[in-house]
Amino acid sequence: MKSKEPRWLGADLTQLARVGSTNQVLRERMRRQHVPEGAVVLAREQTAGRGRLGRVWWSPPNQGLYVSVLLYPPRTRQGGILSLLAGVALTDAVEQATGMTPGLKWPNDAVMGGKKYAGILVEGGTEPQPWAIVGMGINVLGTVPEDFPHATTLSQELGKDVDIEGLWRHLAKALEQRYEQWLEDGNAPIIAQWKTVSVTLGYAVEVRTPSGLITGIAEDVSDDGTLWIRQGSDRVPVMSGEVSLRLANGAYAPRT
Ligand code: BTN
């Protein structure tokens, strides 16, 4: 999707050198005062970056884009789709910044060359109105330490440096545009776009869900973002979890 200049996303922009977590900074600001929709906190380094499932997000100085964006989704809409929407917008932005089309592993792991280069953490609530903080951590420059064998950086995959500021400009445009598309046209176009870059559908997968492990073929993602797993004649819905793809040797990887 070709993106226009953002109008409201990033109009309220806080740029910091070093923070614990950009999601946390935005949340603390919301506790003190009303914060406008589209407010952004960007940092060059995080000392306590938060990942999904209580993990720490590796956030070394000047190597990544660590950003959080505040949205107020309408009360009548399911905010759960926002994490897939953010993945679609990130893919648009990387495509525009680098000319490469990366993939998305359900629900929103951003992958290139079979490895994860970015993660998305959406935190939200309903009071005093529905809100969502979309936190995105993108490994842009340098290389990842050896103890992250399933992770990569954009420059590592592309073989050249990527401009972090430029990537942010593309991401702000893409996120605003995809969010407005969602407000206007609903979930279907976002899910349709997600499917075009999926590296999940059609694969044999193992999904770690809150209620246990599910294995089967990832068959579909419905318009509410649910992943459907084919198990013989059954189809099992998965609302949240972590997907590992089955490799040729029968092992499941990567579990990022
Ligand atoms: C994941 O585990 O895949 C999600 C990682 C999300 C990391 C980003 S970095 C910016 C924002 N602030 C945080 O503390 N976490 C998110």
Side-chain angles (χ1 to χ4, degrees):
M1 180 183 265
K2 190 91 188 86
S3 306
K4 300 189 292 274
E5 286 307 310
R7 287 176 294 110
W8 49 270
L9 195 149
D12 179 313
L13 176 67
T14 307
Q15 274 180 292
L16 301 163
R18 191 170 196 247
V19 295
S21 149
T22 54
N23 272 31
Q24 186 62 27
V25 169
L26 199 44
R27 183 73 190 115
E28 275 161 14
R29 196 175 151 208
M30 287 170 70
R31 287 204 179 95
R32 290 193 302 270
Q33 65 191 94
H34 173 76
V35 182
E37 182 164 47
V40 169
V41 175
L42 260 169
R44 292 194 173 280
E45 177 186 6
Q46 294 185 121
T47 53
R50 304 209 291 237
R52 289 177 67 213
L53 308 170
R55 295 186 186 132
V56 170
W57 186 256
W58 175 74
S59 315
N62 305 316
Q63 271 184 245
L65 176 53
Y66 317 116
V67 60
S68 298
V69 179
L70 176 63
L71 298 172
Y72 291 120
R75 205 171 275 281
T76 51
R77 306 290 289 274
Q78 297 161 328
I81 197 79
L82 289 176
S83 73
L84 281 90
L85 183 152
V88 167
L90 173 60
T91 307
D92 292 340
V94 171
E95 200 168 28
Q96 285 154 14
T98 68
M100 295 280 290
T101 305
L104 290 172
K105 183 161 73 72
W106 189 89
N108 58 16
D109 281 343
V111 295
M112 205 183 252
K115 294 185 173 184
K116 178 164 167 172
Y117 72 89
I120 297 166
L121 177 69
V122 180
E123 297 178 303
T126 51
E127 297 305 328
Q129 67 184 108
W131 59 270
I133 293 176
V134 179
M136 306 171 93
I138 307 158
N139 305 331
V140 182
L141 298 173
T143 53
V144 292
E146 275 173 16
D147 38 332
F148 296 105
H150 303 307
T152 190
T153 69
L154 286 175
S155 62
Q156 197 170 329
E157 294 307 310
L158 295 167
K160 60 175 185 193
D161 283 358
V162 173
D163 175 34
I164 296 180
E165 303 275 320
L167 180 61
W168 162 242
R169 284 195 295 275
H170 285 295
L171 182 57
K173 288 191 243 180
L175 197 53
E176 180 175 297
Q177 203 155 339
R178 288 291 180 191
Y179 185 67
E180 289 184 345
Q181 180 186 36
W182 176 66
L183 292 178
E184 236 166 78
D185 303 327
N187 292 2
I190 300 298
I191 297 297
Q193 182 59 26
W194 186 94
K195 287 180 183 176
T196 68
V197 292
S198 147
V199 282
T200 307
L201 298 181
Y203 286 83
V205 295
E206 179 186 77
V207 194
R208 189 169 289 265
T209 75
S211 47
L213 271 186
I214 296 176
T215 52
I217 306 294
E219 194 173 72
D220 197 15
V221 171
S222 44
D223 279 355
D224 63 355
T226 302
L227 174 66
W228 289 88
I229 306 294
R230 169 67 60 185
Q231 289 182 326
S233 54
D234 289 341
R235 280 175 105 216
V236 183
V238 180
M239 261 73 83
S240 71
E242 251 198 312
V243 170
S244 301
L245 310 179
R246 195 169 72 201
L247 306 176
N249 65 5
Y252 289 95
R255 186 168 292 133
T256 42

